[in-house]
Amino acid sequence: MISRKYILILAGLIILFYTIAINNILNNDQISFIFKYKSNNILSQSSIILPPLYIITPTFRRPEQLAELTRLGYTLKHIKNLLWLVIEDSNEPSKLVIKTLDRIKVPYIYLQSPMPDIYKKKKGAKPRGVANRNRGLKWLRDNIKNNTENSQMMGVFYFADDDNTYDISLFEEIRYTKKVSFFPVGLVTKLGVSSPILKNGKFDGWYDGWIGKRKYAVDMAGFAVSVSFLFQRPTAKMPFTPGYEEDGFLKSLHPINSTDIEYLANKCTEILCWHTQTKKNNNPTKLILNKYKETNLVELTKMLINKTEN
Ligand code: UGA
Ligand code: MN
C-alpha cells in the first residue's frame, strides 16, 4: 500500500511541474509578444504615419457596377491611410452603391457628378468618367489643408477606374510620389501594355497602341500625382475630349519638368495594374411584377438594374 506521505509528495511534484511549464509558456517570446502587442507596449507598423492616398473612382449604373465596386473595394481594403472617393455619373445618390460601400468598410466619400447633357447626347466616343474625376479634384482642393512645411504628408491621388485590376504593391509605391509618377498598365490596346519607354534608365518615348497627337500617351491607370503638386497648379483639370483625357489633364499640370517625374514599378519593368475591361452583360430581363411582386426577386433584380416591369 502507498502511504499518504508518498501521495502528498507526488501531488507536490505534479503541481511544481505544471507551474514550471506554464511559466515557460508565458516567457516564450511569441506569447509575450502577443501580450505586449495587445497592451500596446511595442511600436507596431501602423503607428508610423504614412502619407495619405486619395483614390478617385468614377462609376456609373450598369449590371456590373456593384460587382466592380466590390472587387476594387476589397483590394483597397488592404491599404492603410487611404480615402476612396467614389463618384457616380448620376443626378441622384444610389442606395445600392452606398450599401455596397458600407459593407466593404473602406473609408470613403460618395459624390455624384453627371456627364453634362451635351456630351451624353453626342454620337460616338464619350468623355467617360471626366465629370466624376473633376469632381474628385474639386473635393481635394476644397478639403485638404495646404501644408507647405511637410508637403509629402498632403498625400497623393490616383485615378482608379472601377473596372481595372490593381496589385496592392502599386499603392505603396505611388504613396511616395513627389510630383508625378508613371508606370506600365497591362492589357491596353493591341500592344498589350502601355508604358513609358526607358533606355538606359532615361525616358525615350511612349509605348502605346495609339499615340495620336498626345504629349503624354498614357492610360488613366498609368500615373499618380501628389496633392501638393496639384495645389501648385490651381487651374489643372481634365478636358471632356474623348481619347485625350489623360493627356489633357497632364498638360494642364504644366510645367512638368523631366526631373519632376518618377518611373515606378521597378523602373517600369513590372505590371502592377491592368486595364481588364469586364464583359458587358445585357440588362437582365425585366421582372414580371404581377407574378413576383411579393418575392425576394424584387430586391435581387434591383441590384443588377433599376427597372422592373408591371
Ligand atoms: C479607357 C480609359 O482607361 C479610361 O480611363 C478613359 O476614361 C476611357 O478609356 C475614355 O477615354 O473614355 P474604358 O475602359 O474604355 O477606359 O472606359 P470605361 O471603363 O467604360 O470608363 C472609365 C471610367 O468611367 C469607369 O470607372 C466607369 O465606371 C466610368 N464611366 C463610364 C462613367 O462614369 N460614365 C460612363 O458613362 C461611362
Ligand atoms: Mn475600363
Side-chain angles (χ1 to χ4, degrees):
M1 245 192 43
I2 306 169
S3 75
R4 225 195 279 168
K5 198 172 145 195
Y6 279 114
I7 292 176
L8 279 176
I9 289 172
L10 199 63
L13 282 173
I14 290 170
I15 290 168
L16 188 70
F17 173 79
Y18 277 106
T19 314
I20 291 168
I22 288 169
N23 215 27
N24 270 346
I25 290 170
L26 286 178
N27 283 333
N28 174 298
D29 267 358
Q30 214 174 340
I31 298 216
S32 57
F33 171 79
I34 294 166
F35 283 134
K36 280 184 192 165
Y37 185 79
K38 281 192 174 156
S39 59
N40 277 338
N41 280 342
I42 56 163
L43 276 180
S44 69
Q45 269 289 95
S46 58
S47 55
I48 300 162
I49 301 163
L50 301 165
L53 270 176
Y54 299 95
I55 306 300
I56 299 175
T57 298
T59 191
F60 74 113
R61 189 81 194 110
R62 64 215 194 268
E64 306 83 36
Q65 182 184 32
L66 301 180
E68 306 284 29
L69 290 173
T70 300
R71 184 170 47 184
L72 174 55
Y74 284 105
T75 297
L76 299 181
K77 202 165 176 173
H78 291 280
I79 318 299
K80 293 194 183 96
N81 211 12
L82 175 148
L83 184 66
W84 191 15
L85 303 173
V86 180
I87 307 163
E88 184 151 6
D89 177 352
S90 68
N91 293 302
E92 298 294 326
S94 154
K95 280 186 194 153
L96 287 167
V97 168
I98 293 169
K99 198 174 164 189
T100 304
L101 299 177
D102 283 341
R103 184 160 52 207
I104 299 169
K105 292 191 179 69
V106 165
Y108 76 86
I109 301 280
Y110 172 65
L111 303 163
Q112 295 83 50
S113 185
M115 185 187 291
D117 273 348
I118 36 161
Y119 305 114
K120 221 175 252 178
K121 286 176 189 153
K122 241 184 177 175
K123 281 203 182 114
K126 296 202 167 39
R128 284 168 289 183
V130 172
N132 328 33
R133 296 189 194 97
N134 281 331
R135 182 67 189 86
L137 295 174
K138 181 175 168 9
W139 189 94
L140 298 178
R141 293 190 193 279
D142 291 347
N143 291 278
I144 299 178
K145 242 179 99 189
N146 212 342
N147 181 350
T148 43
E149 264 154 44
N150 193 353
S151 61
Q152 192 182 48
M153 286 318 290
M154 290 169 70
V156 166
F157 69 92
Y158 177 56
F159 296 121
D161 288 353
D162 59 1
D163 57 336
N164 293 337
T165 306
Y166 306 90
D167 187 305
I168 55 173
S169 58
L170 176 72
F171 300 100
E172 294 315 330
E173 287 209 29
I174 62 175
R175 195 193 286 285
Y176 297 98
T177 297
K178 288 189 190 73
K179 291 177 176 170
V180 181
S181 59
F182 290 111
F183 34 89
V185 183
L187 298 174
V188 177
T189 74
K190 60 179 190 307
L191 297 183
V193 64
S194 165
S195 178
I197 303 167
L198 299 183
K199 199 170 181 180
N200 300 321
K202 289 227 160 69
F203 178 76
D204 195 39
W206 305 100
Y207 189 71
D208 191 287
W210 177 68
I211 301 290
K213 292 196 171 97
R214 297 189 290 173
K215 180 175 183 198
Y216 302 97
V218 290
D219 185 75
M220 197 65 73
F223 66 93
V225 180
S226 72
V227 174
S228 68
F229 196 68
L230 176 77
F231 279 22
Q232 285 160 27
R233 275 105 180 117
T235 56
K237 62 174 192 274
M238 192 167 283
F240 285 87
T241 321
Y244 288 85
E245 295 98 330
E246 300 88 342
D247 185 49
F249 174 65
L250 287 161
K251 278 181 178 161
S252 79
L253 292 173
H254 176 83
I256 305 178
N257 300 320
S258 57
T259 49
D260 297 337
I261 297 173
E262 292 162 72
Y263 298 100
L264 304 184
N266 203 4
K267 298 195 178 98
C268 295
T269 59
E270 285 170 17
I271 297 176
L272 300 177
C273 54
W274 306 82
H275 186 247
T276 354
Q277 292 194 307
T278 307
K279 169 186 150 298
K280 269 199 170 46
N281 293 272
N282 290 328
N283 281 341
T285 312
K286 287 174 187 168
L287 189 70
I288 305 160
L289 270 188
N290 280 345
K291 193 170 172 190
Y292 295 116
K293 73 171 171 242
E294 263 145 38
T295 74
N296 59 324
L297 301 182
V298 176
E299 285 306 307
L300 288 184
T301 45
K302 266 191 214 160
M303 294 182 69
L304 292 146
I305 202 76
N306 270 332
K307 290 168 195 147
T308 47
E309 194 175 55
N310 285 305

